[in-house]
Amino acid sequence: MLDRNRQHQIAGPGHGQALSADLYYDGAHNYGSYGRDYSAPEEGFNPLKLLFYVVQYRWLIVMMAAAGLVAGIIVTMMQTPKYQATTQLEVLVPSAKVFQDIEVVSENGDVRAFLTAREKLKSRALAQRVVFQLGLSEKPDFLFPTPNFSPSNIFYRAFGLSKSPSIEEKTSEQREAIAIQRVLNDLTVNLVTNTSLLSITFADQKPKYASDIANQVAQSFIDQRLDQTSETSDLARQFIQEQVLQVKQKLQKSEEELVAYAKDAGITITGEEKSLIGSNIETLNTALATAIQERLDAGRMVDQIDKGRGSSLGPVLESEGLQKITEKLSDLTSQYQQKLGILKPGFPEMQQLQAQIKELQRLYDNGVLTITDSLRQKYQEAQNKESDLRSKLAEMENQQVIFNDKNIKYTILKREVDSNRSQYDSLIAKLNEVGVSSELKTQNAAIVDFAAQPTAPYSPRLSINLAIALAFFMALSASIIYVIELLNNTFTNPEQIEKELGLAMLGILPHVDDRELTASIADPKSGLSEAYRSLRTSLQFSGAEGAPRSLLVTSSEPSEGKSTTSFKLGQDFAALGARVLIVDGDLRKPNLHRLFGLDNTIGLSNLLTNTVRKEDLASIFRATKYPNVTVLTSGTIPPNPADLLSSPKMALIVTNLGKRFDLVIIDAPPIVGLSDAPILSRLAEGTLMVISTNQVTRKSAKTALKRLRSAGANVVGAAMSKFAVNKFDYNYAYKYMNYQYYDYGTSTPKIEGKVDDGADQPAYAKSPAFRRLVRRIRSSVGGFVDRAKSAS
């Protein structure tokens, strides 16, 4: 009994259910129980996954990149070399004086001037001037250049030939129009940022034309502006002269009317263009203000005198005579006081001093009185003067009122005279300016840097063409890969089977070339044999009691490797000592007898139809060259396979065979389109579904699994066949799988320095590394062909 007598103490599903695949399979995946849909969270953007796409389609990307490089070179050869030259022109923007007192200088105006200059440089009139100056309408190589992009350019550039244009068929007007259009098409004018410079660039197939035309465009722009300025100045001077004569006549007439009216009205005007009455009023006002100030000052002094403070007034203190009397009086008083201590007041000397002191005091008082009387007189005079000025001012104001009535018309006439005089002066100034400007011919632009003749073409640039072509073809390759992946609805990696079908992945069988398949199956140390042993191990853990006693091996479509899987599993389980019976349940296209090298004269169909003799019953179950492996072939192909497989006798046979053998493996037909496999799946304890890589569609596999489950089959898991393990896969979780993994421990160590013998092959051809390289190359080519077939 296979693993049934072993007691595995593993927590998990109960009896009869498949154990979780993470107990024996690499990867932390949890699988639901039978009948539950498997769902996985959607993955976000994975850069490593994108890298695997690049590696998988590396040959397509390399071919597209090579095609892009070739296309870039071809496009470059098809383009005609062009040269370009650039002239820098500075635009001079003077301040625009519209009137004498108005000056317009603004940044916005400057920008408009630059843009206007740029459009003028690109105008047809200027291009016509350039064509005339350089005689371009008579130059055939300029009128009829080589096409910028043409396949014939490859031939011309390869052999150094050029076309010989002819101009006899075109009229002069047509040639001029062609030349002007060429100048306009290849001319580019741009404003240099944050400067007042314009870059004038011209491109042509001839380097001389490129520089000459760029320089001539700048010079023609300056000449055109000078001609326009001179013409405008002549017209302006003639117009201003006419205006001067008209304004002069108006000025003379207005002046005569003003003088006549002033004479009739008796209005007198001073040099400052003011009336005499107005001047007198201003003078009287000034004199009155002065008189008032004098009267106030004198009044304050008289008030001090009335209060008995006349001796303290300024004029008294500032008088030199009174200062001398005061000094003498002070000196005599001092002497008298000194002698009073010695002599008595009655002494003649003392009486003489007293008489002198009294005389000096009288003189001082008389002086003070004289000054105060003069101040009083001055005050009186100030009052009289103020009164006289006020009366005179009142009289002049009355005269001013009468004058104002007469001055209204005078003011109107005078304003007209002033206006005419101002116009006349302005026109005379403008006439002088126009005359000077017409002689000077001020330029509005200046050439800063002349264009030099280019030495190398600026177009085509091979690097740019290669980059554009490479980018285009890379985008095209990405689109092709996307379409291929969109159309490829097959399974490319084990994770897709787990996600789409919800089945545990029990084994991954590597793809082997058809020419090496027989050798790989026969070689127990090959990668394919190791993969089948890994599948056997997974089946041993697929149930609580080990592998199922009866195992149905089927697939969605034909040629997915189910017969080979049955064949190898039988051998691998028999290698463990189990008695294995392999039944060919495909009664339509049997193949198992060919793998074992047996005839198919009698077999399962004969047993079901009772067309075999009793003595031949033992010979139906045929022993093979593999120990413990017995085969029951399909036998004669019947007309009604489904009826035979669904008969009670088939169920009885499977039950009895399960008692006689440790393991019964049934090789069933494909599921899609037939009812044989669903019928047989109900009779087996377990069903293994073989799914081939890049062959069966996902919809077909889902339909097949649904049919099996609808029939009540116990699908224990899936095995993925024809998996290209020597390539990077979409999912990096399977990156550990390669031939070295399956070949681990299979190579035989050699003695150092010993070379493999062989007369027909070199030593390196027998080395394991060389054989692995050959297998990888074959597998890569085969995988590309398979993907192309599946996409188509």
Side-chain angles (χ1 to χ4, degrees):
M1 195 67 79
L2 202 62
D3 289 333
R4 295 182 181 274
N5 296 327
R6 301 179 184 179
Q7 300 297 327
H8 299 282
Q9 301 298 330
I10 302 176
H15 178 72
Q17 294 181 343
L19 293 178
S20 177
D22 59 355
L23 296 177
Y24 57 87
Y25 191 77
D26 186 18
H29 303 288
N30 295 323
Y31 302 96
S33 59
Y34 167 75
R36 178 177 295 180
D37 293 335
Y38 178 82
S39 61
E42 295 184 359
E43 295 182 359
F45 175 73
N46 191 347
L48 191 57
K49 187 175 182 180
L50 182 63
L51 176 61
F52 288 141
Y53 275 116
V54 173
V55 175
Q56 182 183 5
Y57 293 97
R58 58 190 179 275
W59 295 116
L60 173 63
I61 295 175
V62 169
M63 287 188 293
M64 295 299 289
L69 296 177
V70 173
I73 295 174
I74 293 176
V75 169
T76 303
M77 295 295 294
M78 293 172 65
Q79 291 180 289
T80 302
K82 297 188 70 174
Y83 300 82
Q84 71 175 8
T86 301
T87 301
Q88 285 194 340
L89 183 70
E90 182 181 6
V91 179
L92 307 176
V93 185
S95 58
K97 297 181 180 178
V98 182
F99 298 99
Q100 183 176 4
D101 299 329
I102 300 177
E103 184 173 342
V104 181
V105 181
S106 64
E107 183 178 356
N108 292 332
D110 293 347
V111 173
R112 286 195 298 269
F114 298 148
L115 297 179
T116 303
R118 185 182 67 178
E119 294 304 319
K120 285 184 177 180
L121 286 166
K122 296 166 60 178
S123 64
R124 186 175 184 85
L126 186 64
Q128 185 177 12
R129 190 170 185 139
V130 171
V131 170
F132 176 77
Q133 292 290 338
L134 297 179
L136 299 177
S137 61
E138 303 299 329
K139 297 181 178 180
D141 53 348
F142 180 79
L143 295 175
F144 308 105
T146 305
N148 292 331
F149 185 83
S150 175
S152 60
N153 289 340
I154 301 178
F155 176 79
Y156 294 135
R157 296 182 64 180
F159 295 96
L161 302 178
S162 62
K163 293 183 178 180
S164 56
S166 175
I167 62 175
E168 286 76 9
E169 299 178 359
K170 301 291 183 179
T171 63
S172 59
E173 291 79 6
Q174 292 176 339
R175 294 196 301 270
E176 182 180 359
I178 294 174
I180 293 173
Q181 194 61 39
R182 275 222 57 203
V183 172
L184 294 176
N185 292 338
D186 295 330
L187 180 65
T188 304
V189 181
N190 293 316
L191 176 62
V192 181
T193 307
N194 297 327
T195 66
S196 59
L197 299 179
L198 290 174
S199 62
I200 304 171
T201 303
F202 190 81
D204 195 83
Q205 298 175 5
K206 303 291 184 181
K208 181 173 177 55
Y209 286 151
S211 58
D212 291 348
I213 294 177
N215 291 329
Q216 186 60 46
V217 167
Q219 188 61 46
S220 297
F221 175 76
I222 297 174
D223 296 340
Q224 184 186 52
R225 179 58 179 171
L226 291 177
D227 295 343
Q228 293 175 354
T229 303
S230 178
E231 182 180 358
T232 303
S233 299
D234 294 339
L235 295 175
R237 180 169 53 186
Q238 182 180 358
F239 173 76
I240 293 174
Q241 286 176 350
E242 295 176 357
Q243 294 295 318
V244 166
L245 293 176
Q246 295 178 5
V247 173
K248 183 179 180 181
Q249 294 175 0
K250 291 174 61 178
L251 177 61
Q252 291 177 354
K253 183 179 180 180
S254 61
E255 287 178 343
E256 292 174 356
E257 291 178 354
L258 178 63
V259 172
Y261 178 76
K263 183 178 180 181
D264 295 339
I267 299 175
T268 304
I269 303 299
T270 63
E272 297 178 355
E273 297 184 356
K274 295 181 181 180
S275 66
L276 186 59
I277 297 174
S279 301
N280 293 335
I281 290 176
E282 291 182 359
T283 304
L284 288 175
N285 282 325
T286 304
L288 179 60
T290 304
I292 292 173
Q293 184 64 38
E294 292 176 355
R295 191 258 305 171
L296 293 175
D297 293 340
R300 286 194 294 270
M301 291 186 179
V302 171
D303 184 61
Q304 293 293 328
I305 294 171
D306 294 339
K307 293 180 180 180
R309 301 175 183 174
S311 59
S312 61
L313 295 176
V316 176
L317 298 176
E318 294 174 357
S319 177
E320 295 181 359
L322 293 179
Q323 288 179 0
K324 292 179 179 180
I325 292 174
T326 303
E327 291 177 358
K328 290 181 178 182
L329 182 60
S330 176
D331 183 41
L332 293 175
T333 303
S334 176
Q335 291 178 13
Y336 180 80
Q337 292 295 331
Q338 290 178 0
K339 292 181 179 183
L340 186 60
I342 302 174
L343 301 177
K344 292 182 179 182
F347 282 104
E349 185 178 357
M350 295 296 288
Q351 291 179 355
Q352 185 180 0
L353 289 173
Q354 289 177 1
Q356 291 178 356
I357 291 174
K358 288 180 181 181
E359 183 63 22
L360 291 175
Q361 185 66 41
R362 185 182 64 79
L363 292 175
Y364 178 80
D365 292 339
N366 291 335
V368 171
L369 181 60
T370 301
I371 292 175
T372 55
D373 290 341
S374 66
L375 291 176
R376 289 180 184 271
Q377 183 66 28
K378 187 177 180 180
Y379 174 68
Q380 186 63 38
E381 293 175 355
Q383 288 180 335
N384 296 333
K385 183 178 179 181
E386 180 181 358
S387 177
D388 294 340
L389 289 174
R390 287 185 183 274
S391 61
K392 188 63 176 177
L393 181 61
E395 181 181 354
M396 296 302 295
E397 288 177 350
N398 292 331
Q399 294 180 5
Q400 180 68 28
V401 172
I402 298 172
F403 173 80
N404 289 339
D405 294 337
K406 298 180 180 180
N407 194 43
I408 294 175
K409 186 176 180 181
Y410 178 85
T411 303
I412 295 173
L413 295 175
K414 186 176 181 300
R415 186 182 301 116
E416 185 176 358
V417 171
D418 293 339
S419 176
N420 292 333
R421 183 177 290 109
S422 176
Q423 292 181 20
Y424 180 77
D425 294 339
S426 178
L427 290 174
I428 291 297
K430 286 294 182 182
L431 184 61
N432 295 331
E433 289 181 3
V434 169
V436 174
S437 62
S438 62
E439 296 297 332
L440 293 179
K441 294 184 179 181
T442 304
Q443 295 184 355
N444 69 325
I447 298 177
V448 177
D449 191 10
F450 286 92
Q453 183 171 328
T455 58
Y458 83 99
S459 174
R461 297 182 63 180
L462 180 60
S463 57
I464 294 179
N465 289 342
L466 290 179
I468 294 175
L470 189 61
F472 174 76
F473 276 85
M474 288 297 98
L476 182 61
S477 64
S479 302
I480 294 175
I481 293 173
Y482 177 77
V483 172
I484 291 176
E485 289 297 321
L486 193 64
L487 298 177
N488 183 18
N489 58 351
T490 59
F491 295 98
T492 57
N493 60 64
E495 189 178 71
Q496 293 175 345
I497 297 177
E498 298 171 351
K499 181 179 181 180
E500 299 289 340
L501 304 181
L503 295 178
M505 183 54 57
L506 301 181
I508 302 175
L509 310 176
H511 176 74
V512 179
D513 188 80
D514 294 339
R515 291 169 292 184
E516 299 180 0
L517 180 60
T518 303
S520 298
I521 293 176
D523 185 6
K525 295 183 179 181
S526 65
L528 184 62
S529 299
E530 183 62 33
Y532 275 112
R533 284 193 290 270
S534 178
L535 175 61
R536 177 196 65 186
T537 304
S538 300
L539 287 172
Q540 288 179 297
F541 289 93
S542 62
E545 298 182 358
R549 296 184 64 89
S550 56
L551 178 66
L552 179 72
V553 180
T554 184
S555 62
S556 303
E557 298 176 358
S559 303
E560 293 192 56
K562 58 184 181 303
S563 298
T564 304
T565 301
S566 302
F567 174 74
K568 283 296 294 180
L569 285 178
Q571 297 180 26
D572 293 337
F573 276 106
L576 299 177
R579 293 171 300 163
V580 180
L581 172 65
I582 304 177
V583 180
D584 193 347
D586 191 350
L587 303 184
R588 301 175 186 271
K589 292 183 179 180
N591 187 43
L592 202 59
H593 64 280
R594 296 188 181 92
L595 296 178
F596 284 97
L598 302 174
D599 61 83
N600 195 25
T601 55
I602 58 175
L604 178 61
S605 61
N606 304 99
L607 188 62
L608 293 174
T609 56
N610 294 321
T611 59
V612 61
R613 296 176 298 177
K614 292 184 178 180
E615 57 271 16
D616 295 333
L617 286 176
S619 61
I620 291 180
F621 299 94
R622 304 182 185 182
T624 63
K625 62 180 180 179
Y626 305 102
N628 298 328
V629 178
T630 304
V631 177
L632 175 59
T633 60
S634 62
T636 305
I637 298 177
N640 53 348
D643 295 340
L644 295 179
L645 296 177
S646 61
S647 63
K649 191 171 184 179
M650 181 63 191
L652 182 61
I653 291 174
V654 173
T655 303
N656 292 332
L657 292 177
K659 297 177 180 179
R660 294 178 55 188
F661 294 91
D662 296 331
L663 176 62
V664 177
I665 299 176
I666 304 175
D667 181 20
I671 303 171
V672 177
L674 302 175
S675 59
D676 301 2
I679 294 172
L680 292 175
S681 65
R682 301 183 61 181
L683 305 179
E685 290 187 7
T687 299
L688 176 65
M689 192 170 178
V690 179
I691 301 174
S692 60
T693 307
N694 292 324
Q695 178 177 343
V696 62
T697 62
R698 301 180 188 181
K699 184 176 181 180
S700 177
K702 287 182 179 179
T703 303
L705 180 62
K706 185 177 180 181
R707 291 192 64 189
L708 289 177
R709 288 176 172 172
S710 299
N714 178 25
V715 183
V716 296
M720 191 171 193
S721 62
K722 303 180 182 180
F723 186 74
V725 296
N726 63 320
K727 298 181 180 180
F728 284 101
D729 192 57
Y730 290 108
N731 193 340
Y732 59 86
Y734 299 92
K735 63 180 179 295
Y736 63 87
M737 298 185 61
N738 50 45
Y739 277 111
Q740 286 77 10
Y741 172 79
Y742 286 117
D743 292 343
Y744 176 77
T746 60
S747 59
T748 304
K750 298 180 180 180
I751 301 175
E752 184 178 359
K754 184 178 180 180
V755 181
D756 292 345
D757 297 331
D760 56 342
Q761 291 182 348
Y764 66 85
K766 293 186 177 182
S767 65
F770 180 80
R771 289 197 300 269
R772 287 194 297 269
L773 178 61
V774 171
R775 284 198 300 268
R776 289 188 179 185
I777 295 175
R778 290 178 178 176
S779 179
S780 299
V781 175
F784 179 78
V785 174
D786 293 341
R787 286 194 298 274
K789 291 181 179 179
S790 62
S792 61

